[in-house]
Amino acid sequence: MGKILLMGDRYTASLFRMMGSEAEVIEDPFNLNSEIEKARKREDIDLILITRDIYEPVREKIDSLISTQTKPLITIIPSPFSESKPMDVRKMILRALGFG
């Protein structure tokens, strides 16, 4: 079974580490693309979670990567510092299964 890797702010990363997941603190959102590329090379990562506040400033660069990436699956999640929006769980499941 693969691992979950969170990329986000210090607070969210600490929470995920307490739950036993790996987490990387991203101080500069413009480094996100290179961090994703490093994580994609790892065979043990199945899911990359990126906090919305880190994703928003570089959305244009990351969207094409997210839409074509199948493994690891890359998903944007809300953080305590971002505005949350409802998640389409059905769409996420279909995408994870390769149908979306």
Side-chain angles (χ1 to χ4, degrees), residues 6-64:
L6 172 95
M7 295 183 178
D9 60 88
R10 289 184 188 281
Y11 179 76
T12 308
S14 295
L15 292 174
F16 272 77
R17 286 183 188 129
M18 284 192 298
M19 293 186 301
S21 294
E22 284 190 47
E24 291 184 25
V25 175
I26 307 293
E27 298 287 345
D28 182 4
F30 295 97
N31 293 334
L32 182 60
N33 197 27
S34 62
E35 293 298 322
I36 290 172
E37 289 301 323
K38 284 195 280 188
R40 287 177 61 192
K41 294 176 184 173
R42 292 181 50 184
E43 292 292 323
D44 61 332
I45 302 291
D46 279 343
L47 177 62
I48 298 174
L49 302 174
I50 302 171
T51 56
R52 186 169 307 283
D53 56 323
I54 300 298
Y55 162 77
E56 287 297 335
V58 292
R59 171 181 228 146
E60 298 81 33
K61 291 182 179 182
I62 304 299
D63 275 347
S64 62

